[in-house]
């Protein structure tokens, strides 16, 4: 998935621990998104950033915070992880006239 | 509520055979419909994108159709290959070009192609 880099690729957390998922792009697109993907369900939008300096809630924002650090980077933070946040997290980007490009995902397990 | 439903949930076919995946949606206002292929452990990758006025679009052995009146789309895979084994996700975009109104994802169809 060229253009969007996510780190880490895998993570195991204990309930109550915090962590930040990193996303960086090199395509100079304005809009960045965080989705979660759970078995049997479609991807659901957590937060998005339409442009540098702005962030907005998506469909399932509870338990998460985001930071649009600059045009390239958009991070997702779990302040106090819960087992319900066990999921695969995808970062995506898009720009005017372009389709969506997804990162390769971060597989998070909260025990 | 905007929804995208796909069928079947899973499908097993023999290499070389054709198959068709279905997508029904209730999304308004409709902007476009995309089909993505998602390999295991990877992010979704776009196969086709169709706007309201397009009925069909091909990408190699993949052909997508759209009936905007019945709000149905299909993805037809011809002469399947082992590398086609993946999840196929139907995604409907609603609203305008604003990043705030974006995508509704179907749950996907998991396709397995066996030799």
């Amino acid at each position: 998935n060229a253009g969007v880099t996510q780190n880490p690729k895998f993570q195991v957390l204990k309930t109550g621990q915090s962590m930040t998922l990193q996303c960086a792009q090199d395509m100079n697109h304005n809009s960045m998104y965080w989705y979660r993907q759970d078995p049997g369900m479609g991807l659901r939008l957590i937060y998005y950033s339409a442009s540098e300096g702005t962030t907005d809630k998506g469909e399932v924002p509870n338990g998460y915070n985001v930071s649009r650090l600059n045009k390239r980077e958009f991070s997702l933070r779990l302040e106090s992880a819960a087992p319900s946040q066990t999921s695969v997290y995808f970062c995506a980007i898009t720009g005017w006239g372009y389709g969506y490009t997804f990162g390769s995902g971060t597989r998070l397990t909260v025990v | 509520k905007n929804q995208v439903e796909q069928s079947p949930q899973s499908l097993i076919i023999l290499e070389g055979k054709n198959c068709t995946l279905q997508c029904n949606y209730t999304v308004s206002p409709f902007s476009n419909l995309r089909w993505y292929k998602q390999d295991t452990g990877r992010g979704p990758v776009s196969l086709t994108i169709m706007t309201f006025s397009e009925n069909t679009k091909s990408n190699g052995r993949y052909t997508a159709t759209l009936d905007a009146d019945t709000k149905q789309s299909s993805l037809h895979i011809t002469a399947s290959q082992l590398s086609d084994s993946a999840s196929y996700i139907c995604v409907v975009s609603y609203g305008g070009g604003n990043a705030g109104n974006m995508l509704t994802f179907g749950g996907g169809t998991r396709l397995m192609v066996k030799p």
Side-chain angles (χ1 to χ4, degrees), chain A residues 6 21 23 31-38 42-49 58-60 64 66 74 76 85 87-94 100-103 105-106, chain B residues 34 36 44 91-94 99-105:
Chain A
Q6 288 185 236
L21 283 67
C23 175
S31 302
M32 302 184 73
Y33 314 79
W34 277 105
Y35 291 90
R36 60 178 289 174
Q37 186 176 36
D38 301 297
L43 278 78
R44 292 181 293 169
L45 182 64
I46 305 171
Y47 270 93
Y48 65 95
S49 172
E59 180 185 356
V60 288
Y64 305 95
V66 291
F74 188 39
L76 178 71
Q85 294 178 305
S87 187
V88 181
Y89 292 85
F90 288 98
C91 177
I93 64 172
T94 189
Y100 286 75
T101 300
F102 287 84
T106 295
Chain B
R34 311 153 191 256
Y36 284 83
V91 184
V92 181
S93 177
Y94 59 96
N101 294 305
M102 297 150 299
L103 309 177
T104 301
F105 291 79

Side-chain angles (χ1 to χ4, degrees), chain A residues 9-28:
Chain A
K9 295 193 181 337
F10 302 94
Q11 183 73 50
V12 178
L13 290 178
K14 294 183 179 179
T15 298
Q17 286 186 315
S18 62
M19 78 162 294
T20 299
L21 283 67
Q22 308 285 353
C23 175
Q25 56 131 338
D26 60 6
M27 299 178 72
N28 202 37

Side-chain angles (χ1 to χ4, degrees), chain A residues 55-84:
Chain A
T55 61
D56 287 283
K57 294 179 179 180
E59 180 185 356
V60 288
N62 292 343
Y64 305 95
N65 285 301
V66 291
S67 296
R68 183 74 182 264
L69 304 171
N70 47 55
K71 191 170 186 179
R72 289 188 63 251
E73 298 171 290
F74 188 39
S75 63
L76 178 71
R77 183 160 179 84
L78 287 70
E79 290 291 350
S80 179
S84 61

Side-chain angles (χ1 to χ4, degrees), chain B residues 65-85:
Chain B
T65 64
L66 174 64
D67 186 332
D69 291 330
T70 62
K71 298 187 177 181
Q72 296 179 327
S73 176
S74 65
L75 180 69
H76 186 75
I77 304 175
T78 304
S80 61
Q81 299 177 358
L82 298 179
S83 60
D84 292 331
S85 295

